[in-house]
Amino acid sequence: MSEQRVKVTIPASTANLGPGFDALGMAFQLYSVVEMEVSEQTTVELVGKELEGTPADKSNLLYQVAAGLFAEAGLAVPELAIRASSDAPLTRGLGSSAAAIVGALVAANQLAGEPFTREELFARATAMEGHPDNVGASMFGGIIVATMPEKAGEPVPYVRFAPPAGLQTLVVIPDFMLETQKARNVLPQVYSKEDVVYNVGHSSLLVAALAQGRLDLMGRAMSDRLHQPYRAKLVPGLNEILDKATEHGAVGAALSGAGPTILCFFSTAEEEGRLRAFVDSVMKGHGITYRVMILQPDENGVQVEIHQR
C-alpha cells in the first residue's frame, strides 16, 4: 500500500448539451479537490459551504468508491484520511457526484499502485453513475461523446475532442436543488418516432458543429424533445431562456444535466452583456433568486499530484 498523499483535482461538467441525452458531456474550469492517504483510522474532512450536509464518515461517497476500488483490486481495504472541497454546487446539474466518483477512483487507484488504467476507471465510474457523459468529461476534459457499453465490464466507447475556440458559458444557477431522480421521473417511458428522429438529427448536427467550431449552428442544433420539455415544469424560466436566448446574444442554450442550472453559450463580451440582462429579466419575472458564473471549458480533465509522506 502506498505511503503517499494523493491530491486529485477534478473539473465540474455539464451533460446532454440539449439533444445529446446521456451521451454528450463537457468539462468546465470549476473544480473539486480530493486528497487521500492511508491512515490509522478513517477520517473525512469536508471543506466549504458546497459540501455542507454531506456525511463525514464511512458512508461518504468518496470513501465508499475508494473502498470498492481496493476490494476490486484484491487488496485489503485500508483506513483512509480523506479531505475534500468543491467549488461546484451539489444537485444543480454540474456533475458533482460524477466529480466525486472520478476523484475517489483516481486517488484510490494511485494509492493502490495503479492496478487500473484510466479507461478502466472510466468504465467503473460510468457503471456507478449510470451514464458516461459527466464522468467522461471530468475524467478526460474537453467534450466527450460516449455511449454505454453493450455488456457490463466492457470498455466504454467514447470520443474526446477540444471545445471550439472562444466558447464561453453563462451558467445560471437557481437557488434551489433538483434531485436527478426527480428530474428523471418526469420523463416519459415511450417517445414518438418523430421525436426520436428529431433528436438523432439535432444531436448529430450538434456534435459536428462543436467538432468544427461552427458556433453559428449551435442554436438550432441544441433543440431537444426528449427531456427539456418535460423538465421545464420543474425549472421556472427554462422555456423562455431556451426559446429566446439566441435572440439576446447566445449561440445556444440548454438545461445543464438534469438541472436546475441553465447554460447560455456565447463568445463575445457584447453577447455576455445582453445575455445577463435577458436572464435577469426572466428569472426576476418568475421570482427566482439565482447566481451566475462565467465558465470556460476545461481541457485537462482530472489532474493528480503526489506527495511523499
Side-chain angles (χ1 to χ4, degrees):
M1 204 72 70
S2 174
E3 292 293 309
Q4 299 172 329
R5 180 169 61 85
V6 179
K7 179 180 179 181
V8 178
T9 303
I10 317 103
S13 61
T14 186
N16 305 329
L17 297 175
F21 188 53
D22 281 0
L24 286 182
M26 185 171 77
F28 284 132
Q29 292 180 23
L30 180 70
Y31 298 100
S32 301
V33 176
V34 174
E35 298 175 75
M36 190 180 293
E37 62 186 319
V38 177
S39 181
E40 291 185 0
Q41 74 177 69
T42 292
T43 57
V44 180
E45 181 186 357
L46 303 168
V47 180
K49 64 182 179 63
E50 300 296 1
L51 297 180
E52 286 178 2
T54 306
D57 55 23
K58 286 187 177 181
S59 67
N60 185 281
L61 177 64
L62 297 169
Y63 178 83
Q64 292 286 318
V65 171
L69 181 134
F70 284 106
E72 183 78 13
L75 300 170
V77 178
E79 302 291 322
L80 296 169
I82 299 171
R83 186 177 190 271
S85 63
S86 178
D87 292 329
L90 301 185
T91 61
R92 294 296 204 283
L94 287 169
S96 56
S97 66
I101 289 169
V102 168
L105 285 174
V106 170
N109 192 55
Q110 188 70 44
L111 292 178
E114 297 189 275
F116 302 108
T117 66
R118 281 287 166 91
E119 268 71 19
E120 288 170 332
L121 295 179
F122 176 34
R124 188 173 180 82
T126 295
M128 291 179 192
E129 186 78 346
H131 40 92
D133 39 18
N134 289 110
V135 291
S138 285
M139 185 75 77
F140 302 114
I143 293 172
I144 291 288
V145 187
T147 189
M148 294 294 285
E150 294 292 326
K151 298 176 184 175
E154 288 185 347
V156 178
Y158 76 97
V159 171
R160 179 218 176 270
F161 59 91
L167 185 67
Q168 301 184 72
T169 311
L170 181 85
V171 181
V172 183
I173 307 171
D175 288 332
F176 64 88
M177 295 183 178
L178 178 55
E179 293 181 9
T180 301
Q181 196 56 50
K182 182 178 180 181
R184 284 193 175 264
N185 286 344
V186 300
L187 302 182
Q189 292 297 311
V190 178
Y191 294 93
S192 70
K193 184 174 75 171
E194 182 184 28
D195 285 350
V196 172
V197 171
Y198 182 94
N199 264 62
V200 169
H202 282 73
S203 61
S204 301
L205 180 62
L206 178 59
V207 170
L210 289 168
Q212 294 196 356
R214 291 289 305 276
L215 300 186
D216 59 305
L217 290 175
M218 281 183 64
R220 280 172 289 171
M222 293 181 82
S223 296
D224 158 75
R225 291 184 182 176
L226 295 190
H227 69 105
Q228 291 178 161
Y230 302 98
R231 289 169 167 170
K233 62 185 178 185
L234 304 176
V235 184
L238 175 62
N239 271 337
E240 291 99 313
I241 291 175
L242 293 181
D243 289 345
K244 300 284 181 56
T246 55
E247 298 172 20
H248 295 85
V251 296
L255 185 66
S256 185
T261 292
I262 304 168
L263 308 178
C264 296
F265 296 95
F266 68 95
S267 61
T268 70
E270 188 268 340
E271 290 171 349
E272 179 191 336
R274 291 170 60 201
L275 269 174
R276 282 181 179 270
F278 166 64
V279 164
D280 191 57
S281 68
V282 171
M283 299 305 273
K284 281 181 175 174
H286 286 273
I288 302 294
T289 57
Y290 70 101
R291 54 179 159 145
V292 161
M293 292 181 181
I294 302 296
L295 294 181
Q296 320 293 330
D298 170 275
E299 295 198 45
N300 298 315
V302 65
Q303 299 291 297
V304 180
E305 297 175 39
I306 300 166
H307 304 273
Q308 298 298 330
R309 291 197 295 176

